[in-house]
Amino acid sequence: MIHALVNDGRYAQSDAASLATESATLFRVEGLSKRFGAVQALNNMSFSLRRGEVHVLFGENGAGKSTLINMIAGALQPDRGEMWLDAQPLTLRDVQDARRHGIAAMFQEFSLAPTLSVEENILLGAEPRWGIFIDLAERRQRVRAALSRFGFDLDLDIAVSRLSRAQQQMVEMAKALLTEPKLLILDEPTASLSEKETEALFELVDNLRQQGVSIIYITHRIKEIYRISDRITVMRDGQFIETVETAAVNEEQLVQLMTGRKFEAFYPEIANKPGARLLSLEGISSSDGSIHDIDLQVHAGEVVGLAGLVGCGKSEIGRAVFGLLPIGAGQVQVGGKPSMRPCPRSMLDRGLVYITSDRRNEGLMLLRPTRENITLPALHLGGLSRAGHWLRMGSERRTAKELGERMRVRPLALDGHVGRYSGGNQQKVLIAKALSRDTRVIIFDEPTVGIDVSARVEVYACIKALAEAGNAIVVISSDLPEVLNLSHRLYVVRDGRIVDHMEKAEINESRALHGFFGTQRPAHLESSHD
């Protein structure tokens, strides 16, 4: 009799705990699997999301995060497995069906109509109507009220194609939030935002959490994870690894869970043995006024960093050097030879290459094979063609294979479309492409944007190897720890001008930040390089 009572009590406690857990859980998946041809993208994945929490999905590129969130958002259907929302079984036919159930997503690749206005995009497909006609006055009022509530300052009538990427991101987020979701998916939402815009986003996320909205958040920036999340689910090779409370795990443990390997230092020690001056800018100003009176030098064997806030003009310096941004005054010298009007072809011929920050729109042909992407800049050279017209297919394939293996593109599919790769592998292909010609000066613009920790380590190892082989390296980055740790010398850019220059021994975060914001540094930190 006593034994029966004890068991009854246990069952009652277990049932109560189960009910409490069920009540706290908004959404869960069990055993989700998805295969694309020979690739098992997701395998028996399970995951749960509490009400009003920010839950980070963390893993290397190719871990299955994108496949999972595409299923949750209705863009993909699973091969196997189940989903529940509010303790009810959930089957989604498409993205619109997901939105009707209160699930909205803002993906890293935007779903905007570039020729339509901000106003038209935000309510596209959900326009208020007066009979068969769109109620234009009501639409404008709703959009204006939404942008005001979210703190987004945008011109309603401008075409989306004319907006910066950060502004397009605001449009995409407003579009998602107007559905008043229960569950919001944010995929790398700060990738193109300034520090101020990022903080505004975090405040918005905090407000949504307080209102009971559950958020699935994907980022490779570990600092963001600790700033914004309640829990973290780690994925690897399409599978669930572990869910942890953010406050209970440190950075080293998190990276070990993600990679399955012992934590390695992010930033390598790069030997500092500067040689001849290979790149010199003298009084460079752009025709559009985005940069002014830029003077800088880069020597063989050194890494020179350009740091500053998003939109400060640092990327424009790299683009002007390569001929993507017209120069209004000054000159560029490569290897001591001046150029008043640089263009990409002439810069490549001189041994200078610029690796864009926008790999998908500017750097790669996503629907073309890996082989073609890697060898494109060198096709007209003697090693790959006869008389610049007839392609040597065997040589092209060998070159692409060598460079792909050098950059550790995994798995290396020479005839597979580049668009099928993860972001980290796409970045490696982009760098391999830049190395397909003999280069002496290499400009990396945001070299690790949108890639995971392991891919970052490999990109940094590449930068180290190139510098120590005698190349002149420029690293343009909005990731301050990255540019501080990699640079032998550092230039700080603000409002299109160089406002500070630091030698290796002088480089520190405090001084860089004073340069970013134009604040006064203490007198004992002043140096002759200002």
Side-chain angles (χ1 to χ4, degrees), residues 99 104-113 118 121-122 147 152 154 160 163 165-178 184-186:
R99 288 179 177 172
M106 191 189 81
F107 294 107
Q108 191 173 2
E109 301 305 320
F110 303 148
S111 57
L112 301 174
V118 168
N121 266 279
I122 288 176
L147 293 179
F152 299 156
L154 295 170
V160 160
L163 299 177
R165 183 168 175 83
Q167 290 172 320
Q168 290 179 8
Q169 199 159 31
M170 294 176 192
V171 176
E172 187 82 357
M173 178 164 281
K175 186 177 173 181
L177 291 176
L178 267 178
L184 177 64
I185 300 168
L186 298 178

Side-chain angles (χ1 to χ4, degrees), residues 159-394:
V160 160
S161 60
R162 295 177 56 195
L163 299 177
S164 68
R165 183 168 175 83
Q167 290 172 320
Q168 290 179 8
Q169 199 159 31
M170 294 176 192
V171 176
E172 187 82 357
M173 178 164 281
K175 186 177 173 181
L177 291 176
L178 267 178
T179 65
E180 298 186 356
K182 303 177 191 176
L183 191 166
L184 177 64
I185 300 168
L186 298 178
D187 183 9
E188 295 281 0
T190 64
S192 301
L193 300 184
S194 67
E195 293 288 333
K196 182 178 179 182
E197 291 163 341
T198 295
E199 194 54 42
L201 172 71
F202 290 162
E203 291 176 7
L204 178 60
V205 168
D206 285 336
N207 289 336
L208 291 170
R209 173 164 44 195
Q210 291 169 15
Q211 295 168 27
V213 177
S214 300
I215 297 172
I216 297 174
Y217 193 102
I218 296 179
T219 182
H220 292 118
R221 298 179 176 181
I222 292 180
K223 185 184 293 184
E224 284 187 14
I225 292 175
Y226 289 101
R227 163 66 177 82
I228 202 70
S229 71
D230 300 299
R231 288 194 300 162
I232 306 162
T233 289
V234 180
M235 299 176 65
R236 190 192 319 140
D237 299 327
Q239 296 180 305
F240 170 85
I241 299 300
E242 190 170 344
T243 295
V244 294
E245 299 286 338
T246 304
V249 64
N250 63 35
E251 182 176 319
E252 181 175 342
Q253 294 167 330
L254 192 57
V255 174
Q256 286 184 21
L257 282 171
M258 183 189 78
T259 62
R261 304 187 298 273
K262 188 170 181 179
F263 178 78
E264 298 174 336
F266 285 158
Y267 307 108
E269 287 290 330
I270 304 176
N272 187 8
K273 298 178 180 178
R277 182 183 299 175
L278 295 184
L279 176 65
S280 178
L281 277 60
E282 299 176 0
I284 293 294
S285 296
S286 61
S287 297
D288 66 359
S290 57
I291 56 175
H292 310 275
D293 301 319
I294 302 298
D295 293 313
L296 66 80
Q297 295 80 40
V298 190
H299 297 82
E302 73 171 348
V303 179
V304 169
L306 294 183
L309 301 174
V310 172
C312 70
K314 60 186 184 298
S315 290
E316 284 76 5
I317 294 173
R319 297 177 73 82
V321 170
F322 195 56
L324 297 174
L325 180 67
I327 291 175
Q331 70 173 9
V332 176
Q333 290 190 11
V334 180
K337 297 179 180 179
S339 175
M340 297 294 292
R341 291 183 176 84
C343 69
R345 180 65 177 266
S346 68
M347 290 294 105
L348 286 171
D349 289 343
R350 292 186 180 199
L352 182 147
V353 64
Y354 167 80
I355 301 175
T356 178
S357 60
D358 190 352
R359 56 181 172 264
R360 295 184 67 87
N361 291 313
E362 290 186 342
L364 298 171
M365 302 179 294
L366 298 179
L367 299 180
R368 302 304 304 169
T370 302
R371 167 181 50 80
E372 292 182 11
N373 273 273
I374 290 176
T375 60
L376 182 62
L379 288 180
H380 67 290
L381 301 180
L384 297 185
S385 65
R386 295 185 182 91
H389 299 292
W390 302 98
L391 183 63
R392 300 175 186 267
M393 297 291 292

